[in-house]
């Protein structure tokens, strides 16, 4: 199929294009030179007075896996009256608000103009389940990060000082689970949770193992350097959700400077930093640590972060592999919860929640993400997330964009929030407003770079995948700072979305269902290293897991549209 998008207002930071009027040509699923298009045969799209960007990329959104599925089951009210029946042959039935079904996830992201989303936490032994759900999500490309924060084999190898074997195991695990990067959630806390019923801080000793979360973070971050994966290590800091935890976040960010580097670029990513950006020593004295975290981000080029931005006045469902925090949250909310342990891998919890505009604590949470995003000097190291569905759903991303491009949007929201909390924030004094080019950086270009796919994703240059979003708004006529409602409307329902060269959304509605790729890495492991690893792993599996080693490995044939990224490692 050939498509010619004519006269769009293009924002493409990876190619330094800042709102130029130009044509974008598509052929065989790729961006090509317009000269290659036979206009008499092509679908010609008139994008005059409309914004054209590459498809959006979300680096952190809980869209698949066992905890997501449990979230659906414990929230029938989330699905009541949200059902939309089949609209064949275009769409399958959609249901769910904070924990949508697989179809609504794919269609919902496509309607926003997003075409690539990463599930950020899958326990190894349940990753086959995660892939079953990823296989069912239409339209978007997908990937997943595998949890290794409290994995007993990882902890054993760190405790025993077997660094080379740790690297080999993590490389093997990534391929065995068909995942893309390594995830640490509250490192070591699952062990402390199981044995003592509580989490631990970054410098505390893990019961039985005698090592600290700090040692886990360093060991895994350095292993990621040797494995040479594109996105090195994705970290949910210790003490998430506790007053005073911004100190732990700063300590974790500082660790990125001491990681032994074998590759350029950031050494670690701090995720949903809003949840770990709290000053104060109790909920009554809670304050924002956003300014301090932004200062550290500006000082330290080795770390990146995403926001976990709170959406006020909307329901959410918190779900995380941080079981100790969910246990605390359940006792604060006193409604319902679910919790699970996955053999030797991790533990999780799920608690429904609602962020209230007049709540002192929720207002503090709301300002943190925005403070960091607006005080950051380098937007290539800041990423927009709600930690869907923890701080809000991805459906509300356009609201976050509006708070960033419009001080008026922020001021209008500030009129509705807790004023005592607002007086403790620097947010009211910040005048900065993002441009559309900035929005394209934080939602397209920088996520592509962070995931190491910038050669063919996140931009509209020749050779890129033909993932394109067109929004019905003319920034030369509409002042998005003053008319942010118009901006929200345009970015909530893309005028057109093209996925891999196929038109999948028209005027905000899904018109065709396709299935994107699932990305995973295949790190190179030398034969003798793998043989040595297997001699260690086979007895460990028999001791720890209820499944055989052969049954644990996920086959390529189990992945719908697999996209294997071969990695040349430093393993020798």
């Amino acid at each position: 199929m050939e498509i010619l998008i004519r006269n769009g207002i293009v924002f493409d930071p990876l190619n330094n294009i800042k709102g130029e009027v130009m044509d974008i040509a598509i052929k065989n699923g790729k961006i090509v030179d317009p000269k290659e298009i036979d206009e008499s045969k092509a679908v010609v799209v008139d994008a005059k007075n409309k914004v054209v960007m590459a498809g959006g990329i979300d680096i952190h959104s809980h869209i698949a896996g066992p905890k997501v599925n449990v979230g659906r089951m414990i929230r029938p009210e989330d699905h009541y009256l949200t059902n939309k029946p089949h609209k064949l042959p275009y769409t399958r039935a959609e249901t769910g608000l904070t924990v949508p079904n697989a179809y609504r996830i794919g269609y919902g992201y496509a309607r926003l103009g997003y075409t690539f989303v990463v599930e950020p936490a899958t326990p190894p032994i349940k990753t086959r389940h995660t892939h079953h759900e990823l296989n069912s999500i239409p339209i978007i490309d997908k990937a997943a990060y595998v949890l290794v924060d409290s994995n007993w084999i990882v902890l054993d190898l760190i405790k025993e000082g077997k660094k080379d074997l740790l690297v080999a195991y993590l490389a093997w695990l990534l391929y065995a689970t068909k995942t893309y990067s390594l995830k640490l959630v509250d490192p070591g806390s699952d062990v402390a949770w199981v044995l003592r019923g509580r989490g631990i801080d970054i410098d505390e000793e893990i019961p039985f193992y005698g090592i600290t979360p700090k040692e886990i973070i360093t060991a895994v971050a350095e292993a990621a350097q040797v494995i040479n994966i594109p996105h090195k290590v994705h970290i949910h800091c210790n003490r998430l959700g506790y007053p005073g935890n911004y100190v732990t976040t700063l300590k974790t960010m500082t660790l990125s400077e001491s990681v032994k580097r074998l590759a350029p670029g950031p050494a670690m990513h701090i995720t949903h930093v809003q949840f770990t950006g709290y000053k104060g020593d109790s909920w009554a004295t809670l304050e924002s640590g956003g300014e301090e975290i932004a200062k550290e981000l500006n000082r330290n080029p080795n770390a990146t972060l995403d926001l976990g931005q709170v959406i006020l006045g909307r329901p959410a469902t918190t779900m995380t592999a941080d079981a100790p925090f969910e246990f605390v949250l359940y006792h604060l909310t006193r409604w319902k919860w679910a919790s699970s342990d996955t053999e030797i891998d991790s533990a999780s919890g799920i608690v429904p929640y609602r962020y209230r505009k007049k709540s002192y604590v929720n207002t503090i949470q709301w300002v943190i993400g925005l403070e960091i995003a607006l005080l950051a000097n380098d937007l290539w190291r800041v990423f927009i997330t709600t930690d869907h569905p923890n701080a809000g759903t991805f459906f509300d991303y356009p609201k976050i964009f509006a708070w960033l491009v419009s001080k008026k949007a922020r001021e209008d929201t500030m009129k509705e929030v807790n004023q005592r909390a607002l007086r403790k924030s620097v947010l009211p004094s910040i005048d900065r407003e993002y441009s559309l080019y900035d929005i394209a950086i934080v939602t397209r270009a920088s996520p592509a770079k962070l995931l190491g796919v910038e050669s063919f994703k996140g931009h509209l240059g020749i050779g890129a995948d033909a993932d394109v979003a067109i929004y019905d708004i003319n920034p030369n006529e509409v002042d998005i700072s003053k008319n942010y409602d118009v901006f929200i409307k345009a970015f909530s329902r893309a005028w057109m979305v093209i996925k891999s060269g196929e038109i999948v959304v028209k005027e905000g509605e899904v018109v065709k269902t396709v299935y994107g790729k699932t990305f995973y890495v295949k790190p190179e492991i030398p034969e003798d290293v793998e043989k040595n690893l297997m001699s260690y792993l086979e007895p460990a599996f028999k001791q720890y897991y209820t499944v055989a080693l052969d049954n644990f490995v996920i086959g390529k044939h189990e992945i719908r549209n697999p996209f294997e990224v071969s990695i040349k490692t430093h393993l020798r």
Side-chain angles (χ1 to χ4, degrees):
M1 186 178 192
E2 297 183 11
I3 302 174
L4 183 61
I5 303 169
R6 278 208 175 281
N7 298 316
I9 304 167
V10 177
F11 292 87
D12 183 3
L14 281 169
N15 290 299
N16 199 30
I17 297 172
K18 301 178 179 178
E20 295 175 29
V21 175
M22 57 191 298
D23 297 342
I24 301 292
I26 293 169
K27 185 176 183 179
N28 298 327
K30 293 285 184 180
I31 305 293
V32 298
D33 190 316
K35 295 175 184 173
E36 294 185 31
I37 295 292
D38 181 348
E39 202 167 327
S40 66
K41 297 178 181 176
V43 174
V44 178
V45 176
D46 181 6
K48 186 179 180 182
N49 297 329
K50 294 178 174 61
V51 166
V52 179
M53 294 182 177
I57 300 174
D58 192 342
I59 62 161
H60 188 114
S61 177
H62 295 279
I63 57 171
K67 67 181 180 304
V68 176
N69 211 35
V70 172
R72 294 182 184 115
M73 289 189 286
I74 72 165
R75 296 215 64 179
E77 74 280 3
D78 193 68
H79 294 253
Y80 179 58
L81 297 180
T82 63
N83 298 321
K84 290 177 65 177
H86 287 326
K87 192 176 179 181
L88 299 174
Y90 308 116
T91 57
R92 295 282 183 185
E94 301 177 57
T95 183
L97 180 59
T98 65
V99 199
N101 70 350
Y103 303 115
R104 190 162 191 229
I105 289 170
Y107 303 144
Y109 267 111
R111 291 181 186 117
L112 291 177
Y114 275 67
T115 53
F116 191 168
V117 181
V118 183
E119 160 55 50
T122 180
I125 197 171
K126 298 216 172 177
T127 296
R128 183 168 275 110
H129 176 159
T130 302
H131 280 299
H132 287 166
E133 292 198 32
L134 292 178
N135 287 343
S136 299
I137 297 175
I139 299 181
I140 57 176
D141 294 323
K142 289 87 61 176
Y145 310 142
V146 66
L147 288 161
V148 296
D149 46 85
S150 293
N151 179 304
W152 292 4
I153 295 172
V154 169
L155 300 187
D156 284 348
L157 290 170
I158 294 173
K159 179 183 177 183
E160 295 162 7
K162 296 177 177 175
K163 291 185 178 180
D164 292 343
L165 216 48
L166 173 67
V167 174
Y169 171 62
L170 293 175
W172 174 87
L173 184 66
L174 283 161
Y175 184 63
T177 55
K178 302 296 181 285
T179 51
Y180 197 76
S181 185
L182 302 167
K183 175 71 179 294
L184 300 176
V185 172
D186 207 353
S189 284
D190 182 43
V191 177
W193 162 248
V194 169
L195 297 179
R196 297 182 182 173
R198 68 176 184 87
I200 53 177
D201 207 344
I202 189 170
D203 292 312
E204 286 186 76
E205 198 169 272
I206 300 166
F208 179 73
Y209 286 94
I211 58 176
T212 65
K214 183 177 179 180
E215 291 174 88
I216 296 174
I217 294 168
T218 301
V220 173
E222 292 186 347
Q225 294 283 325
V226 180
I227 301 170
N228 199 26
I229 43 179
H231 181 38
K232 293 296 182 282
V233 59
H234 201 89
I235 302 173
H236 158 140
C237 294
N238 291 80
R239 302 287 294 165
L240 178 142
Y242 290 88
N245 61 13
Y246 84 107
V247 174
T248 300
T249 300
L250 295 177
K251 286 181 180 178
T252 307
M253 293 173 74
T254 304
L255 277 180
S256 65
E257 296 179 292
S258 59
V259 171
K260 294 175 184 172
R261 308 289 290 276
L262 296 172
M268 59 179 62
H269 178 84
I270 307 299
T271 193
H272 42 65
V273 72
Q274 171 274 133
F275 286 113
T276 58
Y278 306 155
K279 290 170 71 175
D281 54 16
S282 71
W283 294 114
T285 62
L286 193 74
E287 293 187 26
S288 168
E291 198 172 1
E292 286 78 3
I293 291 171
K295 285 178 182 174
E296 175 59 20
L297 181 74
N298 292 337
R299 185 197 68 80
N300 179 358
N302 302 297
T304 58
L305 56 80
D306 67 85
L307 302 183
Q309 176 62 41
V310 159
I311 307 294
L312 295 171
R314 303 273 277 176
T317 299
T318 68
M319 55 175 64
T320 172
D322 190 338
F325 168 69
E326 292 287 17
F327 180 72
V328 172
L329 187 60
Y330 161 67
H331 284 86
L332 289 172
T333 58
R334 288 286 179 185
W335 187 19
K336 54 186 175 182
W337 78 314
S339 183
S340 176
D341 250 306
T342 54
E343 301 205 3
I344 71 161
D345 294 336
S346 66
S348 66
I350 300 149
V351 177
Y353 195 76
R354 188 180 189 91
Y355 298 91
R356 302 183 187 281
K357 292 180 180 178
K358 295 300 182 185
S359 161
Y360 175 84
V361 170
N362 294 162
T363 296
I364 292 290
Q365 292 177 305
W366 178 72
V367 303
I368 292 173
L370 295 176
E371 286 176 350
I372 294 170
L374 291 164
L375 293 173
N377 293 336
D378 181 2
L379 295 188
W380 291 84
R381 292 190 290 120
V382 176
F383 303 86
I384 307 300
T385 66
T386 58
D387 187 19
H388 166 88
N390 283 282
T393 72
F394 68 82
F395 300 110
D396 283 325
Y397 279 1
K399 285 187 178 180
I400 303 174
F401 304 159
W403 289 324
L404 296 175
V405 303
S406 168
K407 185 177 182 184
K408 183 174 186 298
R410 298 196 293 272
E411 289 174 341
D412 287 348
T413 301
M414 287 181 207
K415 294 173 185 172
E416 304 177 61
V417 304
N418 185 289
Q419 297 302 303
R420 183 169 70 89
L422 202 58
R423 286 194 291 273
K424 294 179 180 293
S425 167
V426 298
L427 186 62
S429 66
I430 300 175
D431 294 325
R432 185 180 187 182
E433 293 178 332
Y434 279 26
S435 65
L436 278 176
Y437 186 78
D438 294 335
I439 291 293
I441 289 175
V442 296
T443 59
R444 272 82 178 166
S446 63
K449 282 192 71 173
L450 189 74
L451 297 175
V453 296
E454 72 272 21
S455 63
F456 59 99
K457 294 284 187 189
H459 71 96
L460 297 171
I462 291 173
D465 286 357
D467 300 342
V468 185
I470 305 174
Y471 300 101
D472 189 9
I473 186 169
N474 182 352
N476 298 319
E477 294 182 354
V478 177
D479 183 340
I480 59 174
S481 171
K482 294 178 180 174
N483 300 297
Y484 65 85
D485 285 339
V486 177
F487 171 76
I488 290 174
K489 183 180 178 183
F491 274 73
S492 295
R493 290 269 180 167
W495 182 75
M496 180 174 285
V497 178
I498 299 167
K499 177 73 189 76
S500 300
E502 300 278 351
I503 296 173
V504 294
V505 172
K506 280 184 179 177
E507 297 184 8
E509 296 296 335
V510 174
V511 295
K512 185 171 187 176
T513 292
V514 299
Y515 282 88
K517 306 178 188 78
T518 295
F519 286 58
Y520 63 90
V521 294
K522 184 181 183 183
E524 163 204 51
I525 304 176
E527 193 175 327
D528 58 330
V529 174
E530 186 163 10
K531 187 177 178 181
N532 189 30
L533 173 67
M534 287 301 118
S535 67
Y536 182 91
L537 216 48
E538 286 170 359
F541 252 73
K542 287 180 182 176
Q543 181 183 0
Y544 287 155
Y545 278 114
T546 59
V547 298
L549 183 57
D550 289 344
N551 293 334
F552 178 88
V553 177
I554 296 169
K556 188 174 180 178
H557 66 280
E558 298 180 68
I559 310 297
R560 186 177 204 160
N561 298 337
F563 188 89
E564 190 169 286
V565 180
S566 295
I567 303 289
K568 187 171 179 56
T569 69
H570 299 285
L571 268 166
R572 295 294 179 268

